Amino acid sequence: MIQAKIRHQKLVQMWILGVLILLLAACGGAPAAPSTPADDTAAPPATSVEAVAPAGEVDLSQKEAPALAAKVAAGELPPLEERLPVNPLVVEPHEAPGKYGGTWKIGVLSPRAAYMNARTVTESLAMWDRTGSQPVPDIADRWEISDDGTTYTFYLRQGIKWSDGTPFTSDDIMFWFNDIILNTEYTPAPPDWLRIQGEVVTVNAPDEFTVVFEFAHPYTLFLQNLAFRGVSMFDFPKHYISQFHPAYTEADELSAKLSELGYETWNTAVLDLAFPTNPNLPRLSAWVSVTENPETSVVFERNPYYWKVDPEGRQLPYMDTMEVVIYQDREVMVLGAMNGDINYEAQVIAPTDFPVLSQNEERGGYTMHRYPRPVPMVVFFNMDSSDPVLGPIVKDLRFRQALSIGVDRNDINDSAFLGLGEITQALPPAADPYALPELRTLYTEYDADEANRLLDEMGLDQRDSEGFRLTPDGSRLSFTMPVLGGQGVADRAYEVLVEYWRALGLEVAVNFMPSQNWVAMVRAGEHAVAGYLSATIQWVVDPIWFVPTADTAYFAPLTGLYYATNGAQGVEPEGLLLELQQNFDAMKAATDPAEQVRLGQEIVRINAENLFRVGYVQGFQPVLADSAFRNIPHEFGLEDFRIYFPRYMQPEQWWLDE
């Protein structure tokens, strides 16, 4: 019955897709055959390296963009040697040195698309390498770590300047730490990545180009956290943000500034003005915003003081401009992509868009790729549930096993992911340093008979007249699963999922909720079972998915709250949840890399065997890239927020061969 329904859904989807393709063919000629997608069951690679057409002639004698050279000649800009640091970061091109010029066009669905900050225009002391696997020097030229793992000394590149030409020094970092992080009006409590065993780091600057972070205890995951969380320290250039800070501006003057800009308090002003779409905010990134109050697009122009060069000493970025086009809805954006209005796009394109976009590659002058997206759809079972009926049930491992193997994941894959997803639990892919690939398919094989046996063995063997199971108190086993809605493909996947659960005798309804409402409910621990996605790769910088370290650990939010508040709030951990926390604390302190890996893999194993989160299908990320693009390392493509996709692929060295 379930499979018949899903086959019908697939036929409808195929019919609709066929009509779309016929319409498109009528409008734009016969569609080209779709490119063959790469196998994304492992990550990376995402696609094989493609043969690159011979590039047009590249003038290696040009050391800066022609537009900047013209400004230098006109006396509007200092010479290049005065704009670069003493030791600029040399970026090796992925394929070949590039030509200057061109515009990178991206589509988004809101003016303040959040990924613009973290994913494209950001830098840190250390950033992920081009494979997204390890931190490498960025703003810091090098660093030293004490033998006991407590002290990190960073040596900044000397002579880096903000995008307005103001020198960047250690004073900017000290401003961020002392006046933003330690200011309780702006930051009520320092973030967890700056604390170890509850104690906040000490930061000092011996000179203009040296910054020292000292922890009270060993903290050997600090570099990874810098590559993820550390980007925020460069959102607060002192010379700009200090004019809105009460410690640096007289009260009357500050009040007048805030009133003029329409803010009531200094902290709300800084929160807004420190966002990278603010065209007045000096940046250290390759491109900086020049658009006031965007409605249809945000334009980012090259930073004339960018501090990276290619091996020939030519200043990056190669591309002049990044234009973020704002669309009213995703369907219009997809049509724009087919018309060639976008030349590199990922986040907003859904797997269901992949076939029609692939059919129109020749028309749009682009190539479609499939990047692994290691964020599977999951179900969180609340190990902190206090519900007198459902609590003991969801905490029984047999129940979680039954709801895992009692679902045919192939049907979910076919109906929601076009059969192109990967069947997997919510565990790290092979690219993660702590992966245990052999466990990714644990409890994923469909076995309805065994699922029913496990439920019967739990004492849920009695059913009512409609075939639903009865709980020990005689009531129907019934619950509503809140699902964070608006995920598109994943929304449909959960509807298929609960049909299988109903077939096992569970009366289950799905409640698709807005993000704010869902998060508030789940963080309060009011759910028994909840649906969302789960991060997997580089989870150590965002451990809530595997370890209850905050109330956003949706499988044990109250235990996570206890950890985050040092026992002041929440539920005291015990059993496996306590073991996860202890292993993670030991992992952060381990100075032996092998021991750190062992502890990380033990955390993964505990999660795999105990199914606090059950994964079903991992989708993929369709990526559209203009055929003229060069130097994009598609073979390392991996769509995940924790590694800052696509920032880690170094778009400053991408170029357009036009």
Side-chain angles (χ1 to χ4, degrees):
M1 180 67 178
I2 298 173
Q3 292 174 339
K5 286 183 181 179
I6 294 170
R7 282 194 295 270
H8 173 72
Q9 293 170 352
K10 288 169 61 181
L11 288 172
V12 171
Q13 290 173 349
M14 292 172 66
W15 179 81
I16 293 173
L17 179 60
V19 171
L20 280 172
I21 292 172
L22 287 173
L23 288 172
L24 290 167
C27 296
S35 60
T36 303
D39 178 8
D40 65 291
T41 57
T47 58
S48 58
V49 182
E50 300 174 357
V52 178
E57 184 177 350
V58 176
D59 184 357
L60 297 180
S61 68
Q62 285 185 328
K63 300 304 180 183
E64 61 186 325
L68 296 184
K71 288 187 176 183
V72 172
E76 299 172 3
L77 195 67
L80 178 62
E81 58 269 22
E82 295 179 17
R83 304 197 314 267
L84 289 175
V86 174
N87 50 344
L89 181 82
V90 179
V91 178
E92 189 71 34
H94 183 61
E95 297 161 353
K99 291 189 293 186
Y100 286 117
T103 298
W104 174 10
K105 296 180 181 179
I106 306 169
V108 298
L109 301 178
S110 70
R112 287 175 62 89
Y115 83 90
M116 285 308 305
N117 179 26
R119 297 195 173 197
T120 307
V121 287
T122 195
E123 307 287 348
S124 188
L125 292 173
M127 288 295 288
W128 299 112
D129 69 3
R130 200 176 291 171
T131 68
S133 60
Q134 63 181 344
V136 293
D138 196 49
I139 291 172
D141 176 59
R142 66 191 192 283
W143 52 74
E144 296 172 356
I145 305 172
S146 63
D147 291 341
D148 62 358
T150 62
T151 304
Y152 291 74
T153 302
F154 295 91
Y155 300 96
L156 309 179
R157 297 181 191 277
Q158 298 185 28
I160 288 181
K161 294 178 175 62
W162 293 97
S163 56
D164 62 358
T166 302
F168 163 78
T169 69
S170 59
D171 200 32
D172 290 290
I173 296 177
M174 295 309 300
F175 172 77
W176 159 80
F177 184 72
N178 291 325
D179 298 294
I180 299 295
I181 294 300
L182 297 185
N183 188 307
T184 55
E185 289 185 50
Y186 190 89
T187 310
D192 59 354
W193 69 276
L194 292 173
R195 290 181 283 125
I196 190 75
Q197 296 184 27
E199 298 188 52
V200 180
V201 65
T202 297
V203 183
N204 64 82
D207 58 52
E208 284 189 314
F209 305 112
T210 308
V211 182
V212 181
F213 291 74
E214 295 183 84
F215 295 92
H217 308 279
Y219 185 14
T220 54
L221 293 176
F222 184 52
L223 287 179
Q224 291 91 327
N225 275 281
L226 273 179
F228 179 48
R229 309 285 188 186
V231 299
S232 61
M233 72 175 72
F234 304 99
D235 292 335
F236 304 93
K238 180 179 179 179
H239 68 287
Y240 175 75
I241 295 296
S242 62
Q243 65 182 311
F244 308 106
H245 198 294
Y248 295 85
T249 306
E250 293 292 337
D252 290 344
E253 182 184 353
L254 178 59
S255 179
K257 284 180 179 287
L258 297 179
S259 178
E260 181 182 356
L261 295 174
Y263 298 107
E264 294 185 0
T265 63
W266 75 270
N267 46 9
T268 56
V270 171
L271 183 66
D272 191 51
L273 296 172
F275 197 79
T277 51
N278 172 15
N280 299 310
L281 178 70
R283 302 288 294 166
L284 296 177
S285 52
W287 299 275
V288 294
S289 173
V290 295
T291 306
E292 293 273 6
N293 303 316
E295 294 183 3
T296 58
S297 69
V298 183
V299 175
F300 291 76
E301 292 184 353
R302 67 166 65 251
N303 175 1
Y305 292 91
Y306 197 51
W307 38 278
K308 299 183 185 181
V309 298
D310 70 11
E312 303 295 328
R314 303 166 69 234
Q315 187 187 34
L316 299 173
Y318 290 134
M319 289 184 287
D320 288 328
T321 309
M322 179 171 63
E323 181 180 7
V324 184
V325 183
I326 302 166
Y327 289 88
Q328 297 303 310
D329 59 64
R330 193 173 56 80
E331 288 73 18
V332 174
M333 193 211 72
V334 171
L335 288 173
M338 288 189 291
N339 289 327
D341 298 336
I342 295 171
N343 57 18
Y344 184 89
E345 180 57 67
Q347 279 93 1
V348 189
I349 300 177
T352 47
D353 301 321
F354 187 81
V356 71
L357 285 170
S358 295
Q359 291 284 351
N360 285 272
E361 287 180 329
E362 184 174 344
R363 171 190 171 188
Y366 58 79
T367 302
M368 292 301 298
H369 304 264
R370 281 199 296 126
Y371 289 1
R373 187 171 187 260
V375 188
M377 60 164 288
V378 305
V379 169
F380 297 88
F381 294 89
N382 185 5
M383 297 296 100
D384 292 333
S385 175
S386 60
D387 187 295
V389 176
L390 292 176
I393 291 174
V394 300
K395 293 174 186 177
D396 191 314
L397 176 58
R398 292 170 295 181
F399 183 74
R400 305 194 296 275
Q401 290 172 336
L403 269 59
S404 182
I405 65 175
V407 175
D408 187 345
R409 288 166 169 81
N410 287 305
D411 281 344
I412 294 177
N413 191 16
D414 289 344
S415 62
F417 297 96
L418 304 174
L420 299 175
E422 178 188 358
I423 291 173
T424 177
Q425 290 289 356
L427 298 174
D432 187 82
Y434 312 101
L436 293 172
E438 67 275 12
L439 298 182
R440 280 171 63 83
T441 56
L442 192 65
Y443 300 115
T444 61
E445 186 174 348
Y446 180 44
D447 191 339
D449 291 339
E450 177 62 10
N452 278 302
R453 188 195 69 77
L454 288 167
L455 294 172
D456 289 345
E457 183 180 275
M458 287 178 60
L460 303 173
D461 54 330
Q462 299 301 306
R463 300 187 182 230
D464 63 16
S465 59
E466 295 183 46
F468 290 109
R469 294 178 183 273
L470 301 177
T471 65
D473 70 353
S475 62
R476 177 180 288 183
L477 180 47
S478 175
F479 60 89
T480 296
M481 177 171 63
V483 173
L484 196 150
Q487 302 175 58
V489 171
D491 287 357
R492 292 193 292 277
Y494 285 104
E495 292 170 351
V496 176
L497 170 70
V498 297
E499 287 294 328
Y500 279 94
W501 286 358
R502 291 180 186 126
L504 294 174
L506 282 61
E507 185 181 53
V508 184
V510 178
N511 179 18
F512 292 106
M513 301 176 66
S515 175
Q516 184 175 359
N517 297 348
W518 185 92
V519 170
M521 176 184 183
V522 176
R523 289 178 70 175
E526 297 171 0
H527 63 298
V529 179
Y532 181 37
L533 305 175
S534 177
T536 58
I537 193 167
Q538 294 293 359
W539 58 269
V540 293
V541 300
D542 196 15
I544 55 170
W545 311 100
F546 288 80
V547 184
T549 57
D551 60 1
T552 47
Y554 303 130
F555 67 93
L558 303 183
T559 298
L561 182 62
Y562 186 95
Y563 181 94
T565 61
N566 293 314
Q569 301 177 59
V571 173
E572 186 173 0
E574 58 183 17
L576 290 172
L577 299 182
L578 177 60
E579 186 176 346
L580 287 173
Q581 292 177 346
Q582 291 173 335
N583 283 345
F584 186 62
D585 286 341
M587 185 182 180
K588 288 190 291 184
T591 55
D592 177 6
E595 176 64 5
Q596 192 174 76
V597 169
R598 186 193 70 78
L599 289 164
Q601 290 182 334
E602 179 64 11
I603 290 172
V604 171
R605 184 192 62 78
I606 291 173
N607 276 267
E609 294 177 352
N610 292 279
L611 298 175
F612 305 126
R613 300 161 301 121
V614 171
Y616 290 91
V617 179
Q618 174 180 296
F620 63 95
Q621 182 58 59
V623 175
L624 178 153
D626 191 292
S627 300
F629 255 118
R630 298 291 179 262
N631 283 355
I632 300 180
H634 292 297
E635 68 271 29
F636 298 129
L638 196 62
E639 202 285 330
D640 192 88
F641 178 61
R642 275 136 293 275
I643 58 174
Y644 291 143
F645 169 82
R647 170 65 190 86
Y648 79 95
M649 299 168 77
Q650 297 180 303
E652 64 268 19
Q653 55 93 40
W654 299 1
W655 61 286
L656 288 161
D657 189 8
E658 296 175 327

